[in-house]
Amino acid sequence: MDIAYFIELLINGALTGMMYGLAALGIVLIYKSSGVPNLAQGAMVMLGAYFAWIAAAQWGIPLPFAIALAVVGMFLFGLFTERFLLRRMVGQPIIMIVMLTLGLEILLRGLGPGLFGAAPKSLDIGIGLAPIIIGDVFINRSYLVGAIVGVIMIGLALLFFRTRLGTKLRAVSDDHVASWSVGISVERAIAISWGLAGASAVAAGVMWGSVQGIDWTLSLLLFPAVAVVILGGLDSIYGVLVAGLIVGILGSVIPGYVDPIVGGGTRDVVTSLIILLTIIFRPHGIFGREDIERV
Amino acid sequence: MTSETAQAEAEPQAATDIVPPLLRMSNVEVAYDKVFLAIKGVSLELNTGGMVALLGSNGAGKSTTLKTISGLLAPERGAVNRGSVELRGRDILPLPPPARVHLGIVHVLEGRHVFGHLTPDENLLAAFPTRGRRERLDELREQVYTYFPRLRERSRTKAGYLSGGEQQMLAIGRALMTEPNLLMLDEPSLGLAPMLVEEIFGIIREINKQQDVGILLVEQNAAAALEIVSDAYLLENGHVVMSGKADVLKQNPDVQEFYLGGTGKVDYHNVKHYRRRKRWLA
């Protein structure tokens, strides 16, 4: 067995995993404050990438400002989604809300290419293509930068939930009525979490968009992102970090050895197996909270 | 000269007339799902710094009355059909719950409802206004821990793991973080040992005295409640059937029979009949 090949799969898998984490973060942000599993996050990542591309390539705004503009745009998109779609669903069964987000995902997947053209757009964020070579191991430079961004975003999310606003958001996820009773505006808290999920989608969209180009396939990130949040626990930021690594590494190492034998496509199988096995054996995920039962 | 003194004498008189009570609820009717009438024309009043109990059996409409005041009817599909609720003369019915909290109304829910996955420290922080000053936060938190020293010891445990009594203390302390003028407590004695009930009621009285907070106390434990309040309202089937000074109510034979466990000389053979006759049906 070629050890360098293994290490390469391992490292690039870990880096990819952190980038999955970037996409998964938005799902956790929303779930942690409103208890809604947002299946539209994949399309929001795609939309975030389109926004950044329009600002940078179409309007010629320098990249950092273009990304900032996209963040603002997606924050607003998140706010509007909550205001006009989710708020109407308050008190409805959770399955209706899940279906609503799924519908939004499908709608946006269709609208994106429709509005911006189906051909993949390239977004150059100034990361060279040459791999970093350590010994015999080739490391993808874009993945490395993406992973660093991922870790930074996860760290920011952790810090955010310790602030006053973040504490209020966690309170809202615990108990809506109690939050109202002490003056927390539940609607505003949920709107903010959607806005933040939109903003984090830009980070994911830009990083993935620079790697694989911007088109509707970016929304397929929903699949590994869902695997990450299910394995890590829907409401755990640490879970995103750890499960991101696991999903990334397994999704890289296993296909690295099995794909040549079966002819490809193992990665999706691995991802689905992770989802299925987690739900069967540990429904709350690794760090997901179980409801506290006091004896 | 004479006219001036007359004016000076008249002024305080006029002032008491003009200053509205802290809370005035007049003739309020509330229905759930537009069908089920939970309270049918309840009126009550509470003065600044006053302490009033709302007594009654299950389903009498006590909790609904509190939810009407705090605005928490909507999540349970309740709505006010008629009547008014005023805080210091201001109509509060159109306001959403958080706006009412900013005006100084806070509702400690039945069953405590602490944020179970947050520590007591975080529970208190969550109830503090986002834009409030840091020093004020520390002051208020210190005050809560002075009232409830037990919470300080457990300030880093998740609130879901606290005992029932500690959770009740936390729920009251959390409400105090909003600096209320009107503190509404729904069944704070529910499921607690008698010793603990006494302790918590003592602290409620202290809060009332030290901070000049008006307190509206809903209780099934009428004996304990009547010990600490000045006035009480008796609710039955959504109506106020009796109200007055706590001392007077305590002496009322009907109150003793129904809420204070009787006089000990009940003829059990006739008890059912007696109860039926004495119920205040509308």
Side-chain angles (χ1 to χ4, degrees):
Chain A
M1 194 165 99
D2 185 357
I3 193 74
Y5 180 58
F6 177 73
I7 291 174
E8 194 174 305
L9 288 175
L10 196 70
I11 291 178
N12 284 320
L15 298 178
T16 323
M18 287 296 84
M19 287 176 68
Y20 289 154
L22 212 45
L25 198 58
I27 301 178
V28 174
L29 278 169
I30 291 173
Y31 191 83
K32 218 171 150 62
S33 46
S34 61
V36 172
N38 174 26
L39 293 183
Q41 189 67 21
M44 282 168 73
V45 168
M46 173 196 78
L47 208 58
Y50 272 126
F51 278 16
W53 171 77
I54 290 171
Q58 302 290 97
W59 300 346
I61 299 171
L63 194 72
F65 298 106
I67 292 175
L69 203 64
V71 166
V72 173
M74 282 306 291
F75 188 85
L76 291 177
F77 176 82
L79 290 189
F80 281 123
T81 307
E82 193 279 333
R83 180 69 188 79
F84 294 109
L85 294 176
L86 271 294
R87 198 169 296 180
R88 291 162 188 278
M89 304 296 288
V90 171
Q92 299 287 333
I94 189 71
I95 185 71
M96 306 289 284
I97 303 177
V98 174
M99 287 300 144
L100 178 86
T101 64
L102 188 61
L104 181 66
E105 166 88 14
I106 295 165
L107 174 74
L108 292 177
R109 273 186 194 184
L111 274 183
L115 290 176
F116 309 112
K121 319 279 186 285
S122 73
L123 183 70
D124 182 14
I125 56 171
I127 304 168
L129 288 176
I132 298 168
I133 303 165
I134 304 170
D136 292 337
V137 179
F138 286 59
I139 296 170
N140 186 317
R141 206 180 278 262
S142 298
Y143 285 180
L144 182 65
V145 176
I148 292 168
V149 174
V151 171
I152 291 173
M153 292 291 287
I154 289 169
L156 285 178
L158 278 174
L159 287 177
F160 170 72
F161 279 108
R162 289 171 187 277
T163 63
R164 278 188 201 179
L165 186 61
T167 309
K168 280 181 201 279
L169 258 54
R170 281 158 60 210
V172 167
S173 82
D174 250 19
D175 194 327
H176 285 193
V177 177
S179 301
W180 266 315
S181 81
V182 294
I184 301 171
S185 171
V186 174
E187 296 88 343
R188 192 181 305 163
I190 294 175
I192 289 172
S193 73
W194 273 84
L196 291 175
S200 82
V202 174
V206 168
M207 294 320 301
W208 279 101
S210 78
V211 174
Q212 60 173 60
I214 298 166
D215 62 355
W216 75 273
T217 55
L218 275 181
S219 63
L220 295 178
L221 274 172
L222 177 67
F223 188 40
V226 164
V228 169
V229 292
I230 286 178
L231 179 62
L234 268 166
D235 60 348
S236 169
I237 307 271
Y238 285 115
V240 171
L241 191 73
V242 175
L245 285 175
I246 296 174
V247 172
I249 290 171
L250 290 181
S252 156
V253 173
I254 296 176
Y257 290 101
V258 182
D259 265 0
I261 304 167
V262 298
T266 345
R267 175 173 293 197
D268 284 349
V269 176
V270 171
T271 317
S272 7
L273 279 178
I274 290 173
I275 296 180
L276 290 177
L277 294 177
T278 314
I279 290 178
I280 291 169
F281 292 109
R282 203 176 160 84
H284 295 284
I286 304 175
F287 296 104
R289 72 178 190 206
E290 297 179 43
D291 285 325
I292 296 177
E293 293 286 346
R294 212 168 44 80
V295 244
Chain B
M1 177 70 191
T2 45
S3 69
E4 268 180 38
T5 44
Q7 228 178 357
E9 273 170 13
E11 256 182 341
Q13 187 62 45
T16 47
D17 274 359
I18 290 166
V19 173
L22 177 63
L23 176 76
R24 178 184 278 147
M25 195 167 171
S26 2
N27 207 18
V28 173
E29 183 180 283
V30 170
Y32 288 109
D33 281 326
K34 296 189 175 142
V35 183
F36 176 72
L37 281 183
I39 57 178
K40 308 159 184 167
V42 167
S43 301
L44 55 86
E45 246 177 56
L46 172 63
N47 285 316
T48 306
M51 194 154 176
V52 167
L54 214 53
L55 309 174
S57 51
N58 282 332
K62 308 183 299 287
S63 295
T64 302
T65 306
L66 291 197
K67 283 174 194 157
T68 308
I69 300 169
S70 62
L72 296 178
L73 284 172
E76 295 174 23
R77 298 190 304 279
V80 178
N81 287 346
R82 60 181 164 86
S84 68
V85 180
E86 292 173 355
L87 187 81
R88 296 211 173 98
R90 179 178 173 180
D91 179 22
I92 56 165
L93 279 180
L95 300 176
R100 300 188 197 197
V101 174
H102 293 308
L103 287 179
I105 300 175
V106 72
H107 182 173
V108 179
L109 298 157
E110 180 179 358
R112 310 188 266 272
H113 280 271
V114 294
F115 300 127
H117 295 89
L118 274 57
T119 65
D121 252 354
E122 291 169 334
N123 267 270
L124 299 182
L125 177 65
F128 185 71
T130 316
R131 275 182 278 277
R133 278 167 43 246
R134 175 87 219 174
E135 301 84 55
R136 192 71 194 131
L137 169 68
D138 293 336
E139 273 169 40
L140 285 171
R141 193 144 51 182
E142 192 51 38
Q143 188 187 62
V144 169
Y145 287 145
T146 315
Y147 282 128
F148 305 106
R150 222 187 289 196
L151 289 182
R152 193 199 303 271
E153 292 160 27
R154 313 214 52 188
S155 64
R156 310 217 170 270
T157 324
K158 278 187 181 178
Y161 295 112
L162 300 181
S163 75
E166 288 162 343
Q167 289 191 355
Q168 186 62 60
M169 293 174 185
L170 181 57
I172 298 173
R174 186 178 65 182
L176 290 179
M177 296 301 287
T178 66
E179 303 189 64
N181 304 313
L182 171 60
L183 174 63
M184 303 192 292
L185 300 153
D186 198 347
E187 303 270 5
S189 73
L190 195 75
L192 302 186
M195 285 270 286
L196 213 52
V197 174
E198 212 168 287
E199 187 185 335
I200 286 181
F201 274 32
I203 293 166
I204 292 172
R205 187 172 15 203
E206 228 170 275
I207 292 168
N208 172 249
K209 285 213 176 96
Q210 290 177 2
Q211 311 205 13
D212 214 28
V213 179
I215 289 184
L216 190 55
L217 177 65
V218 157
E219 263 300 336
Q220 289 206 29
N221 188 345
L226 285 174
E227 286 304 316
I228 62 166
V229 298
S230 59
D231 299 82
Y233 291 82
L234 226 63
L235 248 66
E236 186 85 12
N237 269 321
H239 295 277
V240 174
V241 292
M242 204 184 280
S243 65
K245 293 276 162 216
D247 302 334
V248 180
L249 285 177
K250 262 189 280 186
Q251 304 308 320
N252 183 303
D254 284 335
V255 174
Q256 292 195 338
E257 169 62 23
F258 288 118
Y259 300 103
L260 301 177
T263 52
K265 282 186 280 181
V266 182
D267 177 1
Y268 288 102
H269 188 69
N270 292 322
V271 99
K272 248 172 123 179
H273 177 68
Y274 175 81
R275 288 208 167 210
R276 200 178 308 137
R277 192 156 49 80
K278 278 286 184 183
R279 270 184 109 78
W280 292 275
L281 292 170

